[in-house]
Amino acid sequence: MEIEDSWFLQFLHACFYFLALCFLIFPPLLYLARLKPWCNCEICHTYLTSSWSKQFDNLCDWYAHLLKNSPSKTIHIHVLGNTITANPNNVEYMLKTRFENYPKGKPFSMILGDFLGRGIFNVDGDLWRFQRKMASLELNKYSIRSFAFEIVNYEIRTRLVPLLSLVGSKKDGVLDLQDVFRRFSFDCICRFSFGLDPRCLELSLPMSEFADSFDLASKLSAERAMTVSPLVWKIKRVFNIGSEKKLKEAVSMINVLAQEVIKQKRKMGFCTHKDLLSRFMSSVDDDTYLRDIVISFLLAGRDTVASALTSLFWLLAKHPHVESAIRVEADRVIGANKELTSFEELRELHYLQAAVYESMRLYPPIQFDSKFCQKDDVLPDGTFVRKGTRVTYHPYAMGRIKEIWGFDCLEFKPERWLKDGRFFPENPFKYPVFQAGLRVCLGKEMALVELKCVALSLLRKFHIDLATPSHTPRFSPGLTASFSGGLQVLVRERETPL
């Protein structure tokens, strides 16, 4: 009887896997038929064979090359069903004029669903509107900005500066600045969003299972989007093998720790707390939904800030005259040997603001962003877009196009943002680093405060040089741009630090 039961169970399992495979295979086959996976045009052939890597270190650089040489600044990757544009008129059309026709879309939500769930970056419609309304009500308050300013400066004063001082006192003084910025921004966003302190930036540089799992889940989720067909990762997910097994394990760890954050908040009480999670918990009692909101906060406040800081310091190390100009401006506005004390002083640092914007023009934390076309449409440049097509705008490429930024577009030149010595912002659809239109980044101002406070504090206290000056950034797969191998720097304290 046991043998028969065993045989019968094996038979049921085989039937289950066969049905699951059929369920997975047939929809993607229809999808593949539409994508033309057999397309032998030069661009698709180059993508499928990865022959672009013979000339370019990064896929985004190859895309930038193609877009620069396209008369309309729009290209098609047929095998991916992806229309990619660096045309500001198209960007405005997608993000503002025809916003409702270009949502994130179900394909994108499915790719990131295991990781981001129903968080604000992965939903459309009412779910998106609710989270955006809740967050905007809080983030626009002066009190919450003041709270963020206090957290950032505390973290700089008590952890970031002591860590760099310790490294600078050693003979070699080498440090992975990207890792430090990730720890810094992780501590800041956890304190600001959840009222909890993970202490990742303490001098011992403790490992964080949450942060490691978060990095892995981000990387593997991004790799899903790079496959020619969703069939590949869906089959691997059903059989729990390879990268999908690793993703499942990482997400499980994230879920456990996110639920612990929510549990601790309930235990501490959240009615009188300033952090964002407490404000959401007063309106939401679904723990799974709260978990998704927690992950979205982390993605917004940790990875993007760390990426922007890493690129900024890489550029400043290669352009010492810009670094010097930032210090001169700080001494004039704040006073030599005086600390930054207020928002008002920060607003008067126009050259610093220009340097931060110029850094993100060349190295945006989010190199590209995709939407899915709901109904057949025609973009302003004349490109026909079929229903269901993925449409991607590419800030990384836009920053390298002379028709948008001039013949000196490849130069790191903060002065391009100044008029009569004062910072002057550009059209957001020409510079969609913070998105634009209805989905413009709600945390933009606080992110800028964090970037400027860190840059100002470290540049006035330390000499930071590249350990390998000739190093050119190579990016690791992920939802945000990160330097492969980190950013190794040499740190020395200045002779008369503040």
Side-chain angles (χ1 to χ4, degrees):
M1 186 65 181
E2 289 182 2
I3 294 175
E4 290 178 0
D5 286 346
S6 175
W7 177 88
F8 184 66
L9 286 173
Q10 289 177 15
F11 175 74
L12 286 179
H13 284 151
C15 290
F16 168 77
Y17 283 122
F18 175 74
L19 290 172
L21 202 57
C22 290
F23 175 76
L24 285 167
I25 287 176
F26 290 119
L29 284 178
L30 294 175
Y31 177 77
L32 283 173
R34 193 175 75 229
L35 296 191
K36 301 182 183 177
W38 54 84
C39 179
N40 60 359
C41 74
E42 184 179 352
I43 291 177
C44 290
H45 180 265
T46 302
Y47 179 84
L48 289 171
T49 60
S50 295
S51 54
W52 57 265
S53 60
K54 295 177 182 177
Q55 185 178 352
F56 302 96
D57 290 329
N58 300 291
L59 184 62
C60 58
D61 289 314
W62 178 55
Y63 283 158
H65 169 75
L66 294 175
L67 289 162
K68 281 191 290 185
N69 289 290
S70 165
S72 65
K73 303 298 177 276
T74 299
I75 60 171
H76 306 278
I77 311 292
H78 304 111
V79 294
L80 296 178
N82 194 2
T83 295
I84 306 176
T85 188
N87 186 318
N89 294 328
N90 290 347
V91 175
E92 182 173 6
Y93 187 78
M94 291 166 56
L95 300 184
K96 180 184 177 183
T97 310
R98 291 276 284 157
F99 173 78
E100 296 298 335
N101 198 41
Y102 294 91
K104 299 300 289 185
K106 289 183 179 179
F108 188 89
S109 297
M110 187 179 298
I111 287 170
L112 298 179
D114 290 328
F115 179 34
L116 298 182
R118 295 175 292 164
I120 190 170
F121 299 116
N122 205 38
V123 292
D124 297 298
D126 291 340
L127 284 175
W128 169 73
R129 291 187 185 90
F130 166 73
Q131 292 180 60
R132 186 170 180 85
K133 181 179 178 180
M134 286 287 292
S136 63
L137 286 173
E138 301 304 331
L139 293 174
N140 287 330
K141 292 179 179 177
Y142 181 84
S143 59
I144 200 80
R145 294 181 182 182
S146 178
F147 178 53
F149 185 75
E150 291 171 11
I151 287 172
V152 168
N153 279 290
Y154 175 85
E155 194 77 12
I156 290 171
R157 186 175 64 255
T158 65
R159 290 178 182 165
L160 187 58
V161 168
L163 174 62
L164 266 67
S165 293
L166 177 65
V167 173
S169 67
K170 297 179 180 178
K171 189 174 182 180
D172 55 5
V174 177
L175 184 70
D176 180 357
L177 207 52
Q178 178 170 260
D179 178 59
V180 169
F181 288 148
R182 282 179 172 173
R183 292 170 181 272
F184 168 81
S185 57
F186 189 68
D187 280 359
C188 286
I189 195 62
C190 284
R191 294 185 64 203
F192 172 72
S193 295
F194 317 135
L196 301 172
D197 186 359
R199 301 177 180 274
C200 288
L201 197 57
E202 290 189 336
L203 292 180
S204 61
L205 295 180
M207 296 295 292
S208 168
E209 286 184 298
F210 196 115
D212 290 345
S213 298
F214 196 87
D215 286 341
L216 183 59
S218 174
K219 173 179 177 291
L220 296 176
S221 295
E223 288 178 355
R224 278 180 173 182
M226 295 173 67
T227 59
V228 172
S229 166
L231 175 64
V232 177
W233 66 262
K234 285 185 177 181
I235 290 178
K236 289 164 72 176
R237 183 172 65 170
V238 166
F239 292 104
N240 195 31
I241 58 175
S243 59
E244 288 298 312
K245 181 179 180 181
K246 293 178 182 178
L247 176 60
K248 183 178 180 180
E249 291 169 351
V251 169
S252 294
M253 176 62 70
I254 290 170
N255 291 345
V256 169
L257 295 173
Q259 291 301 329
E260 183 62 25
V261 167
I262 295 166
K263 179 181 175 182
Q264 290 298 322
K265 287 304 303 176
R266 286 209 170 96
K267 190 179 293 184
M268 294 164 60
F270 53 82
C271 295
T272 59
H273 288 203
K274 297 180 182 178
D275 61 273
L276 277 179
L277 181 59
S278 292
R279 289 163 162 81
F280 269 93
M281 289 179 74
S282 65
S283 302
V284 177
D285 57 8
D286 180 342
D287 280 10
T288 302
Y289 193 16
L290 286 172
R291 172 267 181 208
D292 298 341
I293 292 170
V294 166
I295 300 308
S296 295
F297 287 160
L298 287 174
L299 184 65
R302 183 234 183 188
D303 288 24
T304 53
V305 169
S307 174
L309 281 170
T310 301
S311 300
L312 175 62
F313 275 82
W314 181 78
L315 284 166
L316 291 175
K318 295 182 76 67
H319 299 83
H321 68 283
V322 175
E323 177 187 326
S324 178
I326 291 172
R327 291 200 309 275
V328 168
E329 178 185 60
D331 287 347
R332 175 174 53 81
V333 173
I334 301 170
N337 303 320
K338 290 185 179 179
E339 296 278 4
L340 177 72
T341 58
S342 68
F343 280 122
E344 286 67 31
E345 288 180 330
L346 205 56
R347 290 194 187 102
E348 290 303 311
L349 298 171
H350 294 277
Y351 190 84
L352 174 60
Q353 174 103 341
V356 168
Y357 265 67
E358 178 70 349
S359 171
M360 288 190 288
R361 180 183 71 83
L362 289 169
Y363 294 100
I366 308 295
Q367 295 177 335
F368 61 88
D369 188 30
S370 296
K371 314 294 183 185
F372 280 84
C373 182
Q374 290 277 78
K375 298 178 182 178
D376 288 358
D377 203 355
V378 179
L379 298 177
D381 68 359
T383 300
F384 174 72
V385 183
R386 190 180 300 280
K387 173 184 176 181
T389 298
R390 178 180 174 187
V391 186
T392 299
Y393 67 94
H394 210 290
Y396 182 92
M398 293 176 77
R400 288 160 171 73
I401 292 178
K402 64 183 180 181
E403 287 85 351
I404 299 176
W405 294 101
F407 285 93
D408 59 355
C409 62
L410 297 181
E411 295 179 28
F412 178 55
K413 189 178 177 182
E415 290 78 11
R416 76 176 75 245
W417 294 90
L418 300 173
K419 288 187 178 180
D420 298 323
R422 300 186 70 83
F423 176 79
F424 188 83
E426 285 283 359
N427 182 330
F429 303 104
K430 172 181 173 180
Y431 181 81
V433 170
F434 295 100
Q435 289 211 54
L438 295 178
R439 287 192 91 131
V440 67
C441 175
L442 291 172
K444 171 184 173 181
E445 293 305 320
M446 279 181 289
L448 289 170
V449 166
E450 194 169 344
L451 293 171
K452 290 188 285 186
C453 285
V454 170
L456 193 63
S457 297
L458 298 192
L459 293 179
R460 299 182 86 194
K461 290 178 170 64
F462 302 98
H463 292 282
I464 300 177
D465 299 308
L466 300 177
T468 52
S470 60
H471 177 263
T472 299
R474 299 190 68 162
F475 299 106
S476 299
L479 300 179
T480 54
S482 61
F483 286 18
S484 178
L487 180 63
Q488 306 299 322
V489 297
L490 297 166
V491 180
R492 291 177 292 118
E493 285 203 57
R494 294 190 180 276
E495 292 180 5
T496 56
L498 293 176

